[in-house]
């Protein structure tokens, strides 16, 4: 009986050790980021409806941020813990398509700090207080050397999803 208890304890410890050592694969990292973006999109849309305010979503090639329309201009949500600006892990990138047209995005690394401070926030996607998302968009999360990608897409009626896709 004692030997059986020791074997069970050793099996449990071995399982925890194996789970702790296992690293995150690039596919899992892509899936996590896609699901995070999809859930944050849902949160921002719900806040837009509840507060009766207009939100925006601005994509860069390696980051994204949510914006709020207040005082007649778009303002980043810097103080919001959940809807703050988020950078993608290296070397992950976005490929944005708005209404089935590919959009070229600039990279934050190409600008110096003075240009970043002077640049006005310009969202590509609007999350309206009516529950609509305009324009319809899809953004693909890709990583060089990985055959799998994830697409987060949204339609005008506010429906959105994150799904796996092959390149």
């Amino acid at each position: 009986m004692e030997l059986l208890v020791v074997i069970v304890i050793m099996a449990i410890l071995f399982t925890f050790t194996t789970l702790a050592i296992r690293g995150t694969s690039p596919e899992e990292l892509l899936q996590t980021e896609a699901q995070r973006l999809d859930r944050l999109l849902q949160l921002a849309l719900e806040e837009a409806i509840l507060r009766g305010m207009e939100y925006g979503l601005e994509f860069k090639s390696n980051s994204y941020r949510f914006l709020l329309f207040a005082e007649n201009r778009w303002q980043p949500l810097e103080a919001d813990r959940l809807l703050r600006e988020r950078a993608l892990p290296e070397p992950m990138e976005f490929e944005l398509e708005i209404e089935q047209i590919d959009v070229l995005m600039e990279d934050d690394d190409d600008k110096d700090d003075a240009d970043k401070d002077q640049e006005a926030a310009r969202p590509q996607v609007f999350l309206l207080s009516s529950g609509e998302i305009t324009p319809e968009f899809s953004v693909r999360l890709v990583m060089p050397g990985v055959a799998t990608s994830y697409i987060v897409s949204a339609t005008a009626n506010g429906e959105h999803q994150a799904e796996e896709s092959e390149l």
Side-chain angles (χ1 to χ4, degrees):
M1 188 64 150
E2 292 174 1
L3 185 59
L4 185 60
V5 170
V6 169
I7 291 173
V8 169
I9 292 173
M10 293 296 290
I12 292 171
L13 289 175
F14 179 74
T15 302
F16 284 125
T17 305
T18 303
L19 291 174
I21 293 174
R22 191 186 83 183
T24 304
S25 71
E27 291 84 4
E28 289 173 340
L29 196 56
L30 283 166
Q31 180 182 19
T32 300
E33 288 299 324
Q35 289 174 343
R36 176 180 292 129
L37 175 58
D38 185 54
R39 288 188 176 95
L40 289 173
L41 184 63
Q42 176 67 34
L43 175 66
L45 189 59
E46 288 174 1
E47 283 197 21
I49 294 167
L50 291 172
R51 293 183 179 192
M53 303 181 85
E54 313 306 328
Y55 282 72
L57 181 54
E58 181 181 39
F59 290 99
K60 302 286 185 188
S61 64
N62 57 0
S63 67
Y64 61 97
R65 65 181 177 171
F66 289 90
L67 308 166
L68 175 66
F69 191 75
E71 300 172 8
N72 292 324
R73 66 185 185 100
W74 289 102
Q75 301 174 4
L77 295 169
E78 295 169 350
D80 193 308
R81 190 174 65 83
L82 294 173
L83 298 178
R84 69 184 189 279
E85 182 170 0
R86 296 187 184 261
L88 295 177
E90 291 290 333
M92 192 182 301
E93 289 186 345
F94 283 127
E95 293 175 356
L96 179 62
E97 187 178 279
I98 294 180
E99 294 184 340
Q100 301 178 351
I101 299 172
D102 291 334
V103 176
L104 292 175
M105 294 178 291
E106 52 192 43
D107 195 353
D108 281 337
D109 298 337
D110 298 338
K111 297 180 179 180
D112 59 11
D113 291 335
D115 289 340
K116 288 180 188 177
D117 291 340
Q118 292 177 358
E119 180 184 321
R122 288 178 274 160
Q124 292 108 333
V125 176
F126 303 95
L127 311 171
L128 306 177
S129 57
S130 63
E132 298 171 287
I133 298 174
T134 185
E136 293 185 357
F137 77 96
S138 66
V139 63
R140 181 185 300 267
L141 287 87
V142 296
M143 203 178 259
V146 179
T148 303
S149 66
Y150 279 83
I151 296 176
V152 177
S153 59
T155 60
N157 62 1
E159 293 180 12
H160 54 88
Q161 66 180 358
E163 61 187 354
E164 185 175 0
S165 172
E166 297 297 322
L167 288 179

